[in-house]
Amino acid sequence: MSVHLGEFEQLVLLALIRLDREGYGVSVRDEIARRTGRETDFGTVYTTLARLEDKGFVSSRLGDPTPERGGRRKKLYALSPLGRAALARSLRLRCGLLRDQLA
């Protein structure tokens, strides 16, 4: 299976791994900013999460309602096994391109 993940898709998937099944739009955005210094708008994060979910690379579920959100629920995302495999392949390809040049 040929999988092409863009750089931002990789960052979102990596953030989801770090957030351990508790990732939602704001936390994904904050994790990427904290780890990379890259500020991103919410629309970009949510669009990417939706695209990754359509591809089967992430799954989502609704969290419990919280008073801080006026009783609304968060949509929580997690990396799927297919997403984990796609990310691993994508990172291997990227690293493979540089391996000989960095040695």
Side-chain angles (χ1 to χ4, degrees):
M1 174 173 127
S2 177
V3 175
H4 301 284
L5 292 174
E7 177 191 12
F8 194 70
E9 289 176 317
Q10 288 178 350
L11 291 175
V12 168
L13 293 176
L14 289 167
L16 289 175
I17 289 172
R18 295 197 58 82
L19 294 166
D20 193 30
R21 303 193 59 80
E22 295 298 318
Y24 62 101
V26 173
S27 66
V28 169
R29 179 184 172 267
D30 292 348
E31 185 67 19
I32 290 170
R34 186 172 27 260
R35 300 287 174 178
T36 68
R38 182 175 176 172
E39 296 294 330
T40 307
D41 63 69
F42 293 115
T44 302
V45 172
Y46 285 113
T47 298
T48 302
L49 285 167
R51 184 172 55 249
L52 291 169
E53 189 169 24
D54 288 346
K55 291 178 180 181
F57 295 161
V58 301
S59 60
S60 66
R61 65 181 170 82
L62 291 177
D64 295 328
T66 61
E68 302 84 24
R69 295 178 48 82
R72 292 179 299 144
R73 306 167 118 200
K74 291 178 185 173
K75 188 172 186 181
L76 301 171
Y77 294 88
L79 192 63
S80 70
L82 182 62
R84 189 173 293 275
L87 178 61
R89 274 192 303 276
S90 181
L91 292 173
R92 272 196 309 273
L93 287 172
R94 184 174 286 216
C95 290
L97 287 171
L98 295 173
R99 190 170 298 121
D100 294 338
Q101 301 303 316
L102 297 175

